[in-house]
Amino acid sequence: MASPTALISETQAWKDLKGHVEDINKTHLRDLMSDAHRCESMMLEFEGLLLDYSRQRATVETMDKLLNLAKAAQLPEKISRMFNGEHINSTENRSVLHVALRAPKDAVIKADGKNVVPEVWNVLDKIKDFSDKIRSGSWVGATGKPLKDVIAIGIGGSFLGPLFVHTALQTDPESAECAKGRQLRFLANIDPVDVARNISGLNPETTLVVVVSKTFTTAETMLNARTLRNWITTALGAPAVAKHMVAVSTNLALVEKLGIDPNNAFAFWDWVGGRYSVCSAVGVLPLSLQYGFSVVEKFLKGASSIDQHFQSTPFEKNIPVILGLLSVWNVSFLGYPARAILPYSQALEKFAPHIQQACELSLSFVSMESNGKGVSIDGLPLPFETGEIDFGEPGTNGQHSFYQLIHQGRVIPCDFIGTVKSQQPVYLEGEVVSNHDELMSNFFAQPDALAYGKTPEQLQKENVSENLIPHKTFSGNRPSLSLLLPELSAYNVGQLLAIYEHRVAVQGFVWGINSFDQWGVELGKVLATQVRKQLHSSRTQGAAPEGFNYSTTTLLKRYLETSPEPKM
């Protein structure tokens, strides 16, 4: 382990922000929003995408201090080290190069002195060739029928990222046209109910299974893979596996052992973290099978555009950097432990679950699996909070769910995400506005409601009954930001993904933690192995549960006594 270095909280820049909190606590967003010059300075634009963070509890001075904190944290150097392929994931001794997965063919991005971009494009070209064969019908199943249905088996980043993109593209007109007559489903949970739902209505003769596991040892994924292999072989015979199953893996020996032709294995690399892998074969293969490679390539180009913006744009105009610094401000200085991700687009319903993965408290994937840490990258205990509990729901559904909490209960910073153009516009004669305008009316109104609130004096002027005034008073001063996309095309979906990926990296770089490992998920897996062995011995030998605490032993006994005896 590298020799310990000073924590960011020991720097003068951090202490300046700590002292600045008192000044901010004397202000209210009603007053801050009246300063047009301040509001104008808090709007950023890139390729038609507009970020408005004027409803954050921050002043121009706050932003200057946050930019000073970025310098103190050596943020420019850390970003450069990431793009240069240095082993910034020090606990696993790996580079962090998901940016290489969507880099142009002529780009040079090195890991361990070798340009990895040609390898990436070799895999992308292989995916294009294979998906073209499947989609055109030149590759057929064991009985000669085209393979029009795909089940992708994977968990964590092998599931949440591709599912988010798939859900976002389903109603995009161009993508939907390319997907006509095809189905894409995702099998993640080891619960047999998930298996039953995935194969329901499908015919093994027309189904292709994509097994996604880098090592081909992930317990849940491999049991699901064996389950679907059994589904295929029962109907079509063992030789059918080679025609109906492919893999995204680097363990060719285990791929072949499952019955999959190693030539139909698509590689990815150790420098691709699971939650950042949607732009690798993990996501690109199933998405290309559904939508065609040309659509997925637009998604990759959108992500790449943000990579270049993140790498080259001055910090004061850099969208991921500003978003990351604001998250640090909200979590570590203002003390807000959560963040609501509120897309005013049903197509983004799976976006919040994917982003949750970066912090891994397990509401949000990209954010909570990355930044849910209690020690610095050098192993020092942190004297400040990191990470946030991410959750969210598309508007306006969320307004009828948890908005009561964010308006009058806990203060939770909110990300409002909207689009200028709907994927599926509807205009009804006689209506005051279109369906999309109705949706977006709420997108524009909710941030102001959170910021301004409503005072008792305003309620009195509206002749509200005195006994109801306390219940109808809104304190306001609740921070949010608004991200307005021109539309939700494949390109814009890629941009949105990359913005949040880099935002998470910025937070981790500033806090001085490793956002790219995930040791927190390992302990439960180890304990599950012990339970698995116990269940096997209890089922096959009648052995009583032992070696567990009283609570677990009692639960195991009840489970074994009342659950049906499986065929072993």
Side-chain angles (χ1 to χ4, degrees):
M1 185 172 66
S3 59
T5 57
L7 296 172
I8 187 64
S9 56
E10 297 172 3
T11 65
Q12 188 59 48
W14 185 279
K15 294 173 184 176
D16 287 347
L17 279 163
K18 276 290 187 185
H20 181 61
V21 171
E22 186 177 347
D23 297 332
I24 292 299
N25 285 337
K26 295 175 183 177
T27 67
H28 194 287
L29 279 170
R30 293 187 201 109
D31 303 315
L32 295 178
M33 292 298 293
S34 67
D35 183 344
H37 174 72
R38 169 192 168 276
C39 293
E40 184 181 10
S41 72
M42 293 184 173
M43 294 189 180
L44 300 178
E45 189 167 357
F46 176 72
E47 291 190 350
L49 185 155
L50 179 64
L51 170 65
D52 175 5
Y53 61 96
S54 61
R55 293 176 187 79
Q56 290 287 307
R57 291 186 61 206
T59 62
V60 173
E61 183 183 1
T62 310
M63 299 313 299
D64 289 340
K65 291 181 181 296
L66 284 170
L67 290 168
N68 286 336
L69 182 68
K71 293 177 185 175
Q74 299 181 313
L75 183 59
E77 293 84 354
K78 290 176 179 177
I79 293 172
S80 293
R81 290 182 65 209
M82 183 178 81
F83 277 87
N84 290 337
E86 296 185 36
H87 287 209
I88 63 171
N89 179 357
S90 56
T91 61
E92 296 177 312
N93 194 27
R94 293 173 180 171
S95 301
V96 177
L97 282 177
H98 45 281
V99 295
L101 299 172
R102 56 256 191 155
K105 271 190 175 181
D106 58 355
V108 177
I109 300 177
K110 294 183 178 181
D112 300 319
K114 180 183 178 182
N115 182 14
V116 299
V117 176
E119 292 181 27
V120 169
W121 274 95
N122 285 341
V123 174
L124 290 176
D125 288 340
K126 182 178 178 181
I127 290 172
K128 181 183 183 303
D129 179 64
F130 180 75
S131 61
D132 284 350
K133 288 178 181 177
I134 295 290
R135 290 171 56 81
S136 68
S138 62
W139 176 298
V140 295
T143 60
K145 293 183 179 180
L147 302 177
K148 61 182 182 65
D149 306 311
V150 174
I151 300 177
I153 305 176
I155 200 164
S158 301
F159 159 62
L160 290 167
L163 177 62
F164 145 59
V165 179
H166 172 51
T167 307
L169 295 182
Q170 275 182 308
T171 43
D172 167 56
E174 179 190 10
S175 303
E177 181 65 27
C178 293
K180 276 186 175 179
R182 306 196 62 80
Q183 288 189 75
L184 173 60
R185 300 182 182 183
F186 293 91
L187 173 57
N189 201 329
I190 197 59
D191 188 338
V193 169
D194 203 10
V195 174
R197 288 178 175 178
N198 266 273
I199 64 176
S200 177
L202 296 188
N203 181 352
E205 292 182 279
T206 60
T207 301
L208 177 71
V209 175
V210 179
V211 184
V212 183
S213 175
K214 183 182 293 185
T215 62
F216 242 54
T217 58
T218 307
E220 303 97 325
T221 297
M222 296 320 300
L223 182 52
N224 277 334
R226 292 190 293 272
T227 303
L228 286 203
R229 180 185 62 180
N230 182 69
W231 178 65
I232 290 169
T233 57
T234 299
L236 305 175
V241 171
K243 280 287 189 178
H244 290 264
M245 297 185 78
V246 298
V248 177
S249 179
T250 55
N251 193 334
L252 297 184
L254 290 184
V255 167
E256 188 170 18
K257 187 176 180 181
L258 191 68
I260 297 173
D261 185 344
N263 292 319
N264 298 328
F266 299 81
F268 62 119
W269 303 269
D270 283 344
W271 41 261
V272 181
R275 54 197 173 274
Y276 300 97
S277 64
V278 65
C279 293
S280 72
V282 167
V284 173
L285 177 57
L287 292 168
S288 294
L289 289 165
Q290 177 70 3
Y291 298 107
F293 184 79
S294 62
V295 169
V296 180
E297 189 173 18
K298 292 176 183 178
F299 161 74
L300 297 175
K301 287 181 177 179
S304 180
S305 75
I306 295 297
D307 295 340
Q308 294 168 49
H309 167 78
F310 177 53
Q311 185 181 23
S312 62
T313 305
F315 282 0
E316 64 272 13
K317 298 291 184 184
N318 192 309
I319 290 174
V321 167
I322 292 298
L323 290 175
L325 292 175
L326 287 169
S327 289
V328 171
W329 170 242
N330 284 327
V331 172
S332 299
F333 296 95
L334 298 183
Y336 301 138
R339 173 178 63 190
I341 299 174
L342 309 172
Y344 276 67
S345 169
Q346 191 63 33
L348 293 176
E349 64 176 307
K350 297 300 182 181
F351 183 57
H354 174 56
I355 296 305
Q356 285 162 354
Q357 163 175 222
C359 287
E360 185 90 50
L361 294 173
S362 217
L363 290 173
S364 162
F365 184 55
V366 170
S367 175
M368 295 196 292
E369 187 163 81
S370 295
N371 289 340
K373 306 292 171 62
V375 297
S376 74
I377 198 166
D378 296 308
L380 299 177
L382 297 175
F384 54 85
E385 297 296 328
T386 69
E388 60 253 289
I389 302 170
D390 285 331
F391 68 98
E393 179 72 18
T396 58
N397 294 356
Q399 294 174 196
H400 298 272
S401 175
F402 52 80
Y403 276 38
Q404 170 64 44
L405 172 70
I406 65 177
H407 277 290
Q408 289 184 305
R410 293 178 179 269
V411 177
I412 300 173
C414 299
D415 291 2
F416 289 92
I417 304 170
T419 63
V420 173
K421 182 181 177 183
S422 173
Q423 287 183 334
Q424 298 288 327
V426 175
Y427 304 89
L428 295 180
E429 186 177 349
E431 294 291 338
V432 177
V433 293
S434 69
N435 293 38
H436 188 63
D437 281 350
E438 180 67 31
L439 173 72
M440 292 301 289
S441 295
N442 291 274
F443 169 84
F444 295 116
Q446 290 292 337
D448 278 342
L450 289 166
Y452 287 88
K454 199 159 193 177
T455 66
E457 292 75 19
Q458 289 173 308
L459 293 167
Q460 287 169 348
K461 289 180 180 178
E462 295 175 3
N463 296 317
V464 173
S465 300
E466 284 296 324
N467 65 310
L468 289 180
I469 285 178
H471 301 282
K472 292 193 171 187
T473 297
F474 293 78
S475 63
N477 208 30
R478 294 164 183 259
S480 69
L481 58 85
S482 300
L483 193 59
L484 187 61
L485 309 176
E487 59 182 340
L488 199 60
S489 63
Y491 187 87
N492 298 129
V493 172
Q495 288 184 310
L496 184 62
L497 172 77
I499 285 171
Y500 274 77
E501 286 180 342
H502 294 319
R503 174 190 198 169
V504 167
V506 168
Q507 292 174 250
F509 288 152
V510 172
W511 281 322
I513 63 178
N514 186 354
S515 299
F516 308 105
D517 64 7
Q518 55 187 65
W519 299 107
V521 306
E522 297 300 321
L523 179 57
K525 292 181 180 179
V526 173
L527 297 179
T529 299
Q530 298 172 11
V531 175
R532 188 183 304 115
K533 290 178 180 178
Q534 178 64 63
L535 289 173
H536 177 73
S537 63
S538 296
R539 297 289 195 195
T540 58
Q541 303 168 26
E546 61 178 1
F548 302 95
N549 60 44
Y550 178 83
S551 174
T552 304
T553 299
T554 302
L555 290 168
L556 279 169
K557 286 180 177 178
R558 174 60 63 88
Y559 175 73
L560 289 164
E561 287 169 1
T562 59
S563 65
E565 187 78 15
K567 295 179 180 179
M568 304 301 288

